[in-house]
């Protein structure tokens, strides 16, 4: 884990939030390569679950929502973790993550109390009172439920259909830890899939398979993922059935994704609370239906961590130990790097620059590197998971061919310039 964290910081994937001020617990900033990686993950997900299907549509709802949303959903009342405070050093812990004594100073704990994990803020320039309180959303799902009627009215979908959203969620975690695994500000990719009551078993099974399809497509090591049927006592207040997809992270087996059967809990609660009917009439002459919901929920940051943990590889290449990230091509933040063999030969640099600029128009995630010798450049690109390296040498000037080197095998091949783009994305 330490190796991954250090590589991420050194190479510009992830930095501690507010770093120069000593950080802010539970926050992380994505650096130049991290943001490319994250965007690739989100784009792949959006494409797979929204654009390639005809029963799904997308949404981007506001983070700040009317506080009534979270009262109706049960979060104001029930979205809490058990908290204990050490009587001696005053440090606070999640009661279910510590033993009898304080792990810091050995002191005794006070009584367990419930701590609501929603971040509260105030809206408008009014004195603080009950009516000015708003919450930063603790899950993106809320925005989907309150837009159910809008989407139905605009698009008249038939059941089953889903609404997907990618966006930030905030939780005032008592103990943020394990790098980006548990943070206070994170991103989710969520789907609320609306179904006919009574059809949940089959739909749940279809979504279970879709989660596995995603895990494979994202380049997460499937051998490290296991399903856990969450017992009733541990399920969220809205769920009648949950499978956690757990991943063997370097710090242990922990939840990566959740798949839940949320019944009609949310639509019914929002309908009762808002007074707006949240049903659908999708068959002429039939009674309106109050749909039930299957919810696959994917954490973006946990996806990134699982991808990094799956991709991190150390091997021996040409008698030297090297570290590389074995990203899938679709996920790799940089698809290819272009080098001139020698930095001080203007004709090589000009030719390499020309190839680089032309390639960048077709495949934007391309990098230029002319620092140090070729061996060092290869190592640097391996470490950030670049699948292909293109070298422009003296032969290029004669016959318009370049060498293309494969990250995983280290093998090099000569190919015409005209074939580079196809090879890079293949
Ligand atoms: N809408 C359902 C929901 O929010 P959840 O199990 O609480 O369910 C869903 O969260 C996913 O969001 C998790 O499986 C995880 O991937 C991600 N997640 C939850 N809390 C997180 C945190 N504090 N930091 C990073 N990711 C988190």
């Amino acid at each position: 884990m330490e190796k991954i964290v250090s590589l991420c910081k050194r190479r510009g994937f992830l930095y501690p939030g507010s770093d120069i001020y000593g950080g802010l617990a539970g926050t992380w900033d994505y650096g130049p390569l991290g943001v490319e990686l994250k965007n690739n993950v989100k784009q792949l997900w959006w494409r797979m679950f929204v654009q390639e299907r005809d029963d799904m549509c997308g949404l981007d709802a506001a983070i700040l929502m009317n506080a009534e949303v979270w009262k109706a959903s049960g979060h104001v009342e029930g979205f809490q973790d058990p908290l204990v405070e050490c009587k001696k050093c005053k440090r606070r812990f999640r009661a279910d993550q510590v033993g009898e004594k304080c792990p810091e100073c050995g002191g005794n704990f006070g009584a367990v109390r419930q701590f609501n994990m929603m971040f509260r803020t105030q809206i408008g320039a009014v004195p603080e009172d009950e009516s000015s309180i708003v919450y930063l959303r603790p899950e993106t799902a809320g925005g989907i439920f309150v837009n159910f009627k809008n989407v139905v009215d605009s698009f008249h979908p038939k059941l089953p259909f889903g609404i997907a959203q990618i966006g930030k969620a905030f939780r005032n975690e008592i103990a943020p830890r394990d790098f980006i695994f548990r943070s206070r500000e994170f991103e989710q990719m969520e789907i609320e899939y609306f179904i006919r009551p009574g059809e949940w078993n089959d739909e749940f099974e279809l979504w279970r398979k879709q989660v596995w399809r995603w895990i494979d497509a994202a380049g997460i090591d499937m051998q490290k993922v296991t399903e856990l049927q969450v017992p009733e006592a541990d399920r969220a207040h809205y769920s009648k059935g949950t499978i956690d997809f757990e991943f063997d992270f370097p710090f242990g087996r922990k939840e990566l994704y959740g798949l839940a059967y949320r019944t009609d809990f949310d639509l019914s609660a929002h309908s009762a609370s808002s007074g707006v009917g949240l049903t659908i009439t999708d068959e002429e002459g039939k009674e309106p239906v109050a749909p039930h919901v299957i919810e696959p929920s994917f954490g973006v940051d946990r996806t990134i961590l699982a991808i990094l943990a799956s991709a991190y590889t150390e091997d021996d290449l040409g008698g030297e130990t090297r570290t590389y990230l074995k990203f899938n091509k679709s996920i790799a933040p940089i698809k290819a790097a272009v080098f001139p063999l020698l930095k001080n030969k203007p004709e090589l640099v000009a030719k390499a620059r020309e190839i680089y600029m032309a390639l960048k128009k077709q495949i934007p995630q391309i990098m230029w590197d002319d620092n140090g010798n070729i061996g060092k450049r290869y190592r640097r690109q391996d470490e950030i998971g670049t699948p292909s390296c293109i070298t422009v040498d003296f032969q290029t000037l004669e016959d318009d061919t370049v060498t293309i080197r494969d990250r995983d095998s280290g093998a090099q091949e000569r190919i015409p310039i005209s074939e580079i783009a196809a090879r890079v994305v293949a």
Side-chain angles (χ1 to χ4, degrees), residues 139 141 171 173 180-183 186 188 190 238 255-258 262 295 297-299 302:
E139 56 170 6
R171 295 182 190 178
E173 297 281 355
I180 51 172
F181 175 80
R182 189 182 303 287
S183 42
F186 56 96
Q188 291 183 317
E190 294 202 298
Y238 48 70
E255 177 187 338
L256 172 64
Y257 304 137
R262 283 180 87 128
E295 181 195 62
S297 180
F298 305 77
R302 284 189 195 176

Side-chain angles (χ1 to χ4, degrees), residues 113 161 205 368:
R113 60 190 176 89
F161 74 95
E205 184 54 21
W368 171 263

Side-chain angles (χ1 to χ4, degrees), residues 21-66:
Y21 287 96
L24 178 69
T27 66
W28 296 92
D29 296 341
Y30 283 80
L33 291 182
V35 70
E36 296 295 334
L37 177 61
K38 194 187 205 189
N39 284 342
N40 291 346
V41 165
K42 292 194 281 186
Q43 272 161 20
L44 185 70
W45 188 91
W46 195 257
R47 195 172 161 160
M48 184 183 274
F49 291 120
V50 182
Q51 295 170 333
E52 285 179 4
R53 299 177 60 126
D54 58 7
D55 58 347
M56 294 282 300
C57 52
L59 183 78
D60 185 12
I63 288 172
L64 295 175
M65 303 180 75
N66 191 312

Side-chain angles (χ1 to χ4, degrees), residues 87-215:
K87 286 182 179 165
K88 204 161 137 199
C89 71
K90 304 288 175 210
R91 282 198 179 85
R92 292 170 164 194
F93 302 91
R94 245 175 77 169
D96 56 345
Q97 286 177 354
V98 283
E100 297 282 298
K101 300 271 183 196
C102 172
E104 295 291 332
C105 73
N108 289 322
F109 291 126
V112 177
R113 60 190 176 89
Q114 294 301 323
F115 174 77
N116 193 295
M117 289 199 290
M118 282 198 295
F119 279 103
R120 260 161 66 134
T121 186
Q122 232 187 300
I123 199 152
V126 288
E128 189 168 0
D129 69 1
E130 211 22 54
S131 67
S132 68
I133 291 171
V134 288
Y135 302 95
L136 301 190
R137 65 182 180 203
E139 56 170 6
T140 58
I144 299 180
F145 291 122
V146 302
N147 278 289
F148 171 80
K149 184 173 169 10
N150 287 334
V151 172
V152 168
D153 288 351
S154 306
F155 295 93
H156 310 288
K158 290 194 183 319
L159 292 173
F161 74 95
I163 305 179
Q165 171 163 232
I166 300 179
K168 291 263 180 168
F170 303 83
R171 295 182 190 178
N172 197 0
E173 297 281 355
I174 297 169
R177 58 166 70 174
D178 297 323
F179 197 29
I180 51 172
F181 175 80
R182 189 182 303 287
S183 42
R184 290 184 168 133
E185 174 176 342
F186 56 96
E187 262 184 282
Q188 291 183 317
M189 307 183 282
E190 294 202 298
I191 295 164
E192 304 306 323
Y193 197 71
F194 301 99
I195 57 169
R196 289 179 188 286
E199 292 181 358
W200 84 270
N201 266 311
D202 290 349
E203 296 292 353
F204 197 86
E205 184 54 21
L206 290 175
W207 278 104
R208 195 176 66 79
K209 292 193 178 121
Q210 289 298 316
V211 175
W212 279 107
R213 196 165 79 94
W214 162 258
I215 288 168

